[in-house]
Amino acid sequence: MRNDTNEQIRNLLFKNPDSQEAKDFMAKVEEKIKDSSINQTTAEELFKNLPDNIKNEHKESIEEGLELLEETVQSIMIARGRSNNSSNPAPQPQQTPPQDPIAQIKNDNQLREIQKIEKLITYYNENQLSAEEIEQLKKEEQQKSQQLEKDKKLLNELKEAAAAMHNPINEQDWHPALTEEQKEDLIAEGITPGSPEYDIFLRNHGIDPKSYIGIDKEIENKKKEIEEQELEIEKQIKIINSLENLKKPIDPRRPNAARNITKTEDQIKREKEKLNQLKAKSQRSKVELITLENSKLIYDPRLTKEQKEDLIAEGITPNSPEYNTALMGYGITPIDKMKELESKVQQEEQELNKIQEKLKRTTSLEELKEIKEAYETIKNTVIKDVQKSIDEEEEFKNLSGSQLLEKVEDLINNNIQNHEKANNLNKWENSDKLMKELKEDIKEGIKLKKQKKPLNEGSNEKLWLKGLAGATGFIAGIGLNMAVGAVPLIGTGLALYSGARLLYNTGKLACSITTKLNNGQEPKWISNIKSKIPEKVKKGAEAIFNKPKNPYAKWFVNGMSLGYTMDRIFNIHEKVGNAFGGNKTTAEVKAPTKTTEAETTHSTEPTAKPTSEQPVTPTQNKTTTAQNPTPNPKSISTAQEPTPIINPEPVIDPTSSFTAGEAMDISGLEYGYVGPGQQAVHLLTDRGAGAVFDKMEVINGQEWVHFKQANGAGYAWFPKEEVEELLASVAKRGGR
Amino acid sequence: MIEEMKGKILELNDGIEYYVLDELDYNNKKYVFTSPYNQKNETIDEENFLVVEIKINKDKLIVNDINDSNEALNISNMFLAKMAANSNE
């Protein structure tokens, strides 16, 4: 059962379930399952079957894990769809047919409209056609369009002919005395044979309606005539036979016998002539009947009169096997081919649609780019303009509450509507929703009141970087799957996700820089170092440091993608950004508390905050040492001696402030926070030894302190009192 | 002593080029934070980043994977922190 389960998970998560990477990963999962005694049947149930106490304790993380897992599975499904890897179909727990990736993106309810547009742009970019392919497709489109047009025209002709053949008015129903013009007039008037108006018309034109009885009656009469003729023939034969019987041998006793015989023979001869005449007449009648019956058969209306007469003359009727061949000889497609032609047209339309869909992608990509560009431009412009109005115009300064909100909303709406690129948003199929999202984004970017520096100062990029700075602590604290393993149950789920994404990314991109050459014997070496760099490239490099364009940027170390980490950073940035600024005007925010030299009794050295030039040398961090004349109980040695408490004196001052750059041992704190007020994360606590206090911020009255690691990388945020309690506790124990 | 790499383009023996966005000297080792460089378009890939060690091997400057995962993580974090700090300036 366990093996079956693993097989299911493996098949679910990996494109190539038999790869070594997949096996290695499953070994890790197996180990974690064993540790946490989880008995699940599928990858998702790995989470759902968690014990209730664990679920309650780690509710948020579990929910997040489920979402992440789902996202991963979807990514892999899309990748499978693209790769057309039918040689190794993995059995799925749910037999869901592969969806069109474009439709999948468009139907994804989890995504905002602008995110859908971004994903579509990415998809189109990755699957863009080459110029040669586009050219080839255009040619195919032209050829297929022409063929389709031709076939459709022919199909219409066939349909018209078929409809004409089902016309209940037969040519033979018209009185033969009528001219073609008269018939056309009658048809135009809607007058047909059999109707009272028809007889009136005939009489008005000097034709006796009774002089023509119609084809059906004629056939009927002809058949009767033939029957009568047959009877007459039979009768005649009997007469002849009777006469023959009279021809007996001559009786010598009757002198007139010879004369009588001669007379009988003459009579037989006459009767036989009469019989021959009857037979000839009957034969003529039969031919006439056939002609009449043939004239009732419906010939293809596309035949000319001459062609039809030729066919009749040759005895070829619509029922003859040679009929269709004869039609084709005249260049007429038989109506029998209509169904075949309909299928052909249908197939041609589908093929043409596929080609046009592919070609449309090129147009769609440009359109999507225009929509996205319009969205970003409008957003930035309107935020800037509206913010300026709020900050500078008197009418806004005098407003507050709902009046201010209403005024701002009106201004946003007006500015959007009057923007020259607003119409571009209508190109998106769900433009109303997109517009709504745009307004939400604009509102997010507007501060209704001026806020104090420094936390709300600067651009979104700065906020993002604050998030990034905080996130580095998170990364260092819990790292990748090896770190999440520290919380076995949650770790398993996150490991499933991060491991799957890691393998997915590396499998797809193969980005290890040192891919070995010569069968793995020789690493790559640098053949040239260029120091003359184009200005454009330099600017590009600077831009990367301001804000990566793609939150899902793939960061590779040793061929392993840290894309998951970057993804988290972006999410954290958003959370931290929202907590710090945006329109959250209720949060009371103040600058990090800095203690003066006089206030700090535990430091003899000036505080040295790690700088960008000095983040990598642990010894550069300020640490308290044995030489410190008044060692602070909260300050302990760092990396070299992480745990011993230097000061045995149980001096506890929970209200004291921290000094930026001060090193402390906070390895006793098992959980930290990715940002003030954000979710708790499990930490690799050994990195808390020698952690360096970085800064403090107050959010909603709660004091939060941020620590960096000894090596300068970020560590985590904590409520200040938690750190103080820990330090106090350590100080007490150290004093005993 | 390996020269300064930041802001330069490394061309590898297989012709692939990487722009060095940042570099780091740590524990007597040199690490670089790079991104694939497209010479034709003069663009840096803004979606794929690689962190590798640069070292001298048999008089050749080679790029080397960071085999120790802890080390890899640390170095990666340091670059992230530098990136944040640089931009905060």
Side-chain angles (χ1 to χ4, degrees), chain A residues 2 41 182 204 217 289 362 396 401 440 458 500 509 547 611 691:
Chain A
R2 172 59 57 85
T41 52
Q182 287 172 332
N204 288 345
K217 193 70 181 171
L289 178 63
T362 310
F396 283 95
E440 286 169 7
L509 297 167
K547 182 184 176 184
T611 66

Side-chain angles (χ1 to χ4, degrees), chain A residues 231-288:
Chain A
L231 287 173
E232 275 190 58
I233 288 169
E234 278 179 31
K235 192 177 167 186
Q236 191 64 25
I237 290 169
K238 282 180 184 174
I239 291 169
I240 292 168
N241 288 340
S242 303
L243 290 171
E244 290 287 348
N245 287 336
L246 292 175
K247 285 169 63 183
K248 290 179 180 173
I250 299 169
D251 186 352
R253 291 172 295 178
R254 298 175 67 183
N256 294 330
R259 190 167 48 88
N260 287 339
I261 287 170
T262 305
K263 188 181 174 184
T264 303
E265 284 177 345
D266 289 341
Q267 192 176 355
I268 289 170
K269 193 180 173 184
R270 281 196 304 274
E271 294 298 336
K272 279 187 176 178
E273 282 173 6
K274 191 179 175 185
L275 176 63
N276 286 338
Q277 285 172 359
L278 283 172
K279 280 184 176 178
K281 192 180 176 185
S282 174
Q283 190 59 38
R284 280 197 302 275
S285 295
K286 284 177 181 174
V287 171
E288 284 170 6

Side-chain angles (χ1 to χ4, degrees), chain A residues 29 32-33 36 38 46 484 487-497:
Chain A
V29 173
K32 291 179 187 304
I33 290 170
S36 53
I38 298 171
L46 176 71
V484 292
V487 185
L489 296 174
I490 308 307
T492 305
L494 292 177
L496 271 173
Y497 171 75

Side-chain angles (χ1 to χ4, degrees), chain A residues 327-364:
Chain A
L327 284 181
M328 289 167 78
Y330 293 129
I332 297 171
T333 305
I335 291 173
D336 296 356
K337 302 276 180 190
M338 194 160 70
K339 281 195 171 179
E340 194 182 317
L341 191 62
E342 273 178 339
S343 302
K344 191 180 173 215
V345 165
Q346 204 173 0
Q347 193 180 344
E348 284 170 352
E349 279 177 336
Q350 285 174 354
E351 288 171 2
L352 189 62
N353 282 343
K354 281 182 185 172
I355 292 170
Q356 286 171 337
E357 181 62 32
K358 283 185 184 175
L359 285 170
K360 197 181 163 191
R361 287 184 186 180
T362 310
T363 320
S364 299

Side-chain angles (χ1 to χ4, degrees), chain A residues 98-117:
Chain A
Q99 277 191 26
D100 173 18
I102 296 171
Q104 202 167 21
I105 292 169
K106 287 185 176 177
N107 297 331
D108 191 340
N109 293 327
Q110 302 297 319
L111 293 175
R112 303 173 84 223
E113 297 304 309
I114 188 66
Q115 287 173 318
K116 288 179 189 173
I117 292 167

Side-chain angles (χ1 to χ4, degrees), chain A residues 309-440:
Chain A
E309 284 171 358
D310 286 347
L311 288 176
I312 292 169
E314 288 172 26
I316 299 173
T317 70
N319 296 330
S320 306
E322 309 91 351
Y323 180 69
N324 282 350
T325 313
L327 284 181
M328 289 167 78
Y330 293 129
I332 297 171
T333 305
I335 291 173
D336 296 356
K337 302 276 180 190
M338 194 160 70
K339 281 195 171 179
E340 194 182 317
L341 191 62
E342 273 178 339
S343 302
K344 191 180 173 215
V345 165
Q346 204 173 0
Q347 193 180 344
E348 284 170 352
E349 279 177 336
Q350 285 174 354
E351 288 171 2
L352 189 62
N353 282 343
K354 281 182 185 172
I355 292 170
Q356 286 171 337
E357 181 62 32
K358 283 185 184 175
L359 285 170
K360 197 181 163 191
R361 287 184 186 180
T362 310
T363 320
S364 299
L365 177 60
E366 294 309 314
E367 204 167 74
L368 287 167
K369 283 180 177 173
E370 282 176 14
I371 298 169
K372 185 172 183 298
E373 198 262 336
Y375 189 96
E376 297 298 335
T377 308
I378 296 171
K379 182 181 140 187
N380 294 333
T381 312
V382 174
I383 287 176
K384 191 179 164 189
D385 293 348
V386 173
Q387 190 67 61
K388 193 177 175 188
S389 298
I390 292 171
D391 293 343
E392 295 176 6
E393 291 177 17
E394 284 301 321
E395 59 175 324
F396 283 95
K397 287 178 184 172
N398 298 329
L399 290 174
S400 63
S402 59
Q403 284 182 322
L404 176 63
L405 289 172
E406 201 176 313
K407 181 83 179 166
V408 169
E409 193 145 347
D410 286 347
L411 189 58
I412 291 172
N413 290 339
N414 284 338
N415 279 19
I416 292 175
Q417 281 169 10
N418 294 331
H419 199 285
E420 58 181 4
K421 293 192 173 179
N423 282 339
N424 281 2
L425 300 180
N426 294 329
K427 292 176 182 172
W428 179 241
E429 56 193 22
N430 205 349
S431 58
D432 289 347
K433 206 170 168 190
L434 184 67
M435 187 66 87
K436 197 177 165 192
E437 287 175 4
L438 174 62
K439 287 177 187 173
E440 286 169 7

